[in-house]
Amino acid sequence: MIALLSSAPFWTCVSIACYAFGQKIQRRTGSALCNPLLIASVLVGVLLVCTGTSYETYNQSGRLISFFLTPATVALAVPIYRKLDVLRQNLFPILAGALVGSVVSIASVILFSRLFGLSDTTMRSLIPKSVTTPIAVSLSEMLGGLAPVTTIAVVFTGIIGAMLLPVFLKCIGVRNEVQMGLSIGTAAHAVGTSRAIELGETEGAMSGLAIGIAGLLTALIVSVGSLLLSI
């Protein structure tokens, strides 16, 4: 039993099973609050505590899952290709929206970090919270942040965005499919995009596009900002 709990493949299977269970609950309830990733995270966390398994042991299985993040993100190009006509018609608003969203995300982290007295290391770890994990971790390491903190922040941001953003956007009167998808993808990256795809093909395509654009813009802003601060 001890050998099994120390096995990376075992925890990989547990993670997948917990996520599948979360999907089943969401389908039955139909509620966005029952996010599969949130449910899986809670279940896996409880199992780790109950079995006394360390994070380092579990993280070995997480590397296998993380390996598929990049190809999964690249696969989002398929719905984007199907909506090239929409992209051409809304190119400037899409670029402008992603730029504003990226700037606001970075600025809000810096503002609230200073307001609540967070350490510089924590602040640097949180700055790329709204971009997809592979980009976020690279930016965090470049800034001198902590990759585990960044990963947690990215997942938390995505879950909250996926649960609340569609409802929030409708409450403030946003009904346009392009606007919905762009907002969700810029703020909640891949986790939000999984929710945007459920809303519609256009929303999913624009959200997937926003992941790439916001990631590139965030990397550019952070790189330029770091360079200016070092001068």
Side-chain angles (χ1 to χ4, degrees):
M1 185 64 180
I2 296 177
L4 184 64
L5 293 176
S6 302
S7 170
F10 170 75
W11 285 108
T12 299
C13 294
V14 169
S15 299
I16 294 173
C18 289
Y19 185 80
F21 179 70
Q23 284 187 312
K24 187 174 182 180
I25 292 179
Q26 187 182 52
R27 283 195 296 267
R28 286 195 173 184
T29 61
S31 173
L33 296 178
C34 296
N35 185 278
L37 186 56
L38 176 60
I39 294 173
S41 298
V42 172
L43 290 177
V44 171
V46 170
L47 289 173
L48 290 175
V49 172
C50 291
T51 58
T53 304
S54 65
Y55 170 77
E56 288 74 18
T57 299
Y58 175 75
N59 193 40
Q60 294 177 7
S61 67
R63 291 171 186 164
L64 179 61
I65 297 175
S66 298
F67 173 80
F68 291 100
L69 286 176
T70 300
T73 302
V74 173
L76 292 172
V78 175
I80 295 173
Y81 177 77
R82 293 174 178 170
K83 292 293 179 178
L84 279 180
D85 55 332
V86 179
L87 171 60
R88 294 191 188 99
Q89 295 169 8
N90 299 275
L91 182 59
F92 179 75
I94 289 172
L95 292 175
L99 176 61
V100 171
S102 299
V103 171
V104 170
S105 174
I106 295 172
S108 63
V109 168
I110 296 174
L111 174 63
F112 285 108
S113 294
R114 298 303 186 195
L115 184 63
F116 292 105
L118 299 182
S119 67
D120 282 346
T121 301
T122 302
M123 182 185 72
R124 293 170 188 270
S125 304
L126 296 177
I127 283 177
K129 65 175 179 58
S130 291
V131 297
T132 189
T133 303
I135 298 177
V137 170
S138 297
L139 290 177
S140 176
E141 292 175 345
M142 183 188 75
L143 291 171
L146 301 173
V149 175
T150 301
T151 302
I152 293 173
V154 169
V155 172
F156 184 77
T157 300
I159 291 174
I160 296 300
M163 291 192 300
L164 302 182
L165 266 178
V167 177
F168 173 74
L169 291 171
K170 289 181 180 179
C171 287
I172 63 176
V174 176
R175 295 290 188 275
N176 183 274
E177 296 173 341
V178 175
Q179 294 173 350
M180 289 276 288
L182 182 63
S183 300
I184 294 173
T186 301
H189 46 82
V191 181
T193 298
S194 65
R195 173 59 178 154
I197 291 174
E198 296 176 0
L199 298 177
E201 187 175 6
T202 300
E203 290 93 330
M206 292 303 102
S207 184
L209 178 64
I211 293 175
I213 295 177
L216 290 173
L217 290 174
T218 300
L220 179 61
I221 293 169
V222 169
S223 299
V224 172
S226 299
L227 180 63
L228 292 176
L229 290 174
S230 64
I231 295 177

